[in-house]
Amino acid sequence: MPVRTLPATEALSRLGDFDTVIDARTEDEYALDHVPGAINWPTLDNQERIDIGTMYKQVNAFEAKKRGAAIAARNIAAHIERHVLDKPKDWKPLVYCWRGGNRSGSLATILGAIGFQVTLIEGGYKAWRAALVDDMPRLAQRLNFRVVCGPTGSGKTRLLQALAGQGAQVLDLEAIACHRSSVLGHIPGVPQPSQKAFDRLIWDALQRFDPARPVFVESESKKVGNLRVPDALIEAMRGSPCIDLRLPDEERVALLLEDYDFFVKDTAHFCERLKALTELRGHAVVDRWIEQVQAGQIPAVVLDLLVSHYDPLYMASIRRNFRQYDQADVIALPDRSTTALQEAARQLVTGLASAV
């Protein structure tokens, strides 16, 4: 059966038309980023691609193509034996590689020769990525965001989780980025995704949201750890209505000690992260904080960090960047309890529903 092609711009909205999306690139390329829901069937694995590329440069293209074809044929045969023998005749796969060339073309040709209805993404992953980036403004502009603002430790992430539990639409950028969005926000042992994967995960979340319902999101800056939030999304957020979440200082300290318990358990790591604030706060202040941490006075350090460092910076940033913050609806939590957060989430969801 002839292999069909599909423009990357159309593939964005038609992934659901296919039974399986197959990424024919190497394991490392796939791990860096891939089309949502794709599985990895490398036509050449990591080392094989390096070896063939070296042969292209050191020998010649013809010899490299012969060797590459032999390896690709063996790998494709293995994929068919492992994954295809039980597929029905009406199985419809979508296949791509880096540019929609030899790697995906070889796999698609063989699957098509078997009799499957195979489709290739024109231009491969490179074209898909470009189409996704171009589509981000459209998705961001069609949604109605409600931005949860509030100083560090006020429970913004917990409120998002409570809202999700109430069935609200939530975009948790920190969860997607695997980072808590501050100098101290790195989560030990949890790497951040690549920028391309971060963009893809955001795009995938945005395109699933119902435009008729609000989307709750935290008041992030342009970067979450090492990852940049797409410009179109940031602009949409900054022009959206805000919610001002407040929590008493002692409750904020307790909440942060719960959420950042790894700093309490590993004070040496906490001290190392505090040193990153030396340029902003000076050696005397940071050295005092480190001495207090080493003396077991962590709650006092956290309170000082909040009041003297994070709060002034946050308020200056939020007023400068979020245009509707001065008209924000205030939610004052009595404490950090699950009950208080669930009640706040319930009020937000029911209040918005009644206003529609």
Side-chain angles (χ1 to χ4, degrees):
M1 183 174 291
V3 174
R4 303 177 180 182
T5 59
L6 182 68
T9 51
E10 290 186 32
L12 290 176
S13 60
R14 291 188 53 192
L15 291 180
D17 294 350
F18 303 95
D19 298 311
T20 310
V21 181
I22 302 172
D23 187 323
R25 300 175 301 159
T26 65
E27 305 95 319
D28 285 351
E29 290 173 294
Y30 174 83
L32 187 66
D33 187 38
H34 52 268
V35 171
I39 60 174
N40 190 207
W41 294 7
T43 300
L44 299 175
D45 67 21
N46 292 326
Q47 189 58 51
E48 289 163 351
R49 185 172 183 236
I50 292 171
D51 293 343
I52 298 302
T54 301
M55 185 175 288
Y56 260 88
K57 294 178 180 179
Q58 297 182 356
V59 184
N60 60 61
F62 182 65
E63 293 301 321
K65 287 180 179 178
K66 287 194 295 184
R67 176 61 61 184
I71 296 172
R74 284 196 296 269
N75 289 340
I76 291 171
H79 294 316
I80 291 172
E81 289 180 334
R82 282 195 297 264
H83 307 297
V84 178
L85 295 182
D86 63 344
K87 294 291 188 289
K89 189 174 182 179
D90 61 353
W91 177 62
K92 299 189 299 295
L94 176 68
V95 185
Y96 69 93
C97 60
W98 172 240
R99 291 187 180 180
N102 290 335
R103 289 184 286 173
S104 59
S106 300
L107 174 59
T109 297
I110 294 174
L111 292 176
I114 293 172
F116 296 117
Q117 184 179 314
V118 186
T119 303
L120 273 174
I121 297 179
E122 291 179 10
Y125 169 81
K126 185 176 182 181
W128 161 270
R129 162 75 180 166
L132 180 149
V133 171
D134 289 344
D135 194 45
M136 198 75 77
R138 179 189 68 84
L139 290 178
Q141 291 163 11
R142 77 185 185 118
L143 297 171
N144 298 308
F145 294 99
R146 297 293 185 272
V147 183
V148 179
C149 306
T152 302
S154 59
K156 297 185 292 294
T157 297
R158 292 189 183 189
L159 179 59
L160 290 183
Q161 293 167 349
L163 284 163
Q166 294 279 345
Q169 297 187 135
V170 169
L171 179 64
D172 191 340
L173 292 171
E174 292 183 6
I176 295 173
C178 300
H179 197 279
R180 290 175 177 162
S181 195
S182 70
V183 173
L184 302 179
H186 169 68
I187 304 172
V190 181
Q192 291 196 264
S194 69
Q195 181 66 53
K196 291 178 179 178
F198 183 56
D199 292 343
R200 182 249 305 169
L201 291 167
I202 291 173
W203 175 88
D204 195 34
L206 294 181
Q207 60 94 20
R208 294 174 186 273
F209 289 139
D210 178 359
R213 300 169 56 213
V215 176
F216 293 92
V217 63
E218 188 174 332
S219 55
E220 303 291 353
S221 62
K222 288 185 176 181
K223 294 190 72 175
V224 183
N226 294 321
L227 300 173
R228 185 178 181 86
V229 180
D231 290 341
L233 177 57
I234 279 289
E235 282 306 306
M237 290 165 53
R238 288 182 172 180
S240 297
C242 297
I243 297 160
D244 186 7
L245 186 63
R246 300 179 185 178
L247 188 66
D249 285 348
E250 65 273 15
E251 287 290 312
R252 294 166 63 201
V253 171
L255 183 149
L256 289 171
L257 290 176
E258 291 171 356
D259 285 357
Y260 291 79
D261 63 324
F262 45 83
F263 282 141
V264 178
K265 297 173 183 175
D266 187 353
T267 55
H269 178 60
F270 189 13
C271 292
E272 283 299 312
R273 297 307 300 161
L274 286 171
K275 291 177 183 178
L277 298 174
T278 301
E279 185 175 345
L280 289 172
R281 304 299 302 169
H283 283 284
V285 171
V286 173
D287 288 347
R288 186 184 77 248
W289 284 339
I290 290 174
E291 289 175 4
Q292 288 178 287
V293 170
Q294 293 172 338
Q297 301 170 12
I298 294 178
V301 173
V302 172
L303 180 60
D304 198 8
L305 275 167
L306 290 175
V307 174
S308 67
H309 177 71
Y310 281 111
D311 287 359
L313 290 175
Y314 182 83
M315 289 310 301
S317 175
I318 209 76
R319 291 185 182 280
R320 182 174 64 250
N321 292 310
F322 289 84
R323 297 186 287 276
Q324 296 197 47
Y325 176 73
D326 288 338
Q327 293 82 44
D329 294 326
V330 176
I331 294 183
L333 298 175
D335 52 54
R336 67 187 191 283
S337 67
T338 300
T339 300
L341 286 159
Q342 288 178 341
E343 176 58 21
R346 187 192 66 77
Q347 291 180 9
L348 281 171
V349 172
T350 56
L352 288 168
S354 63
V356 174

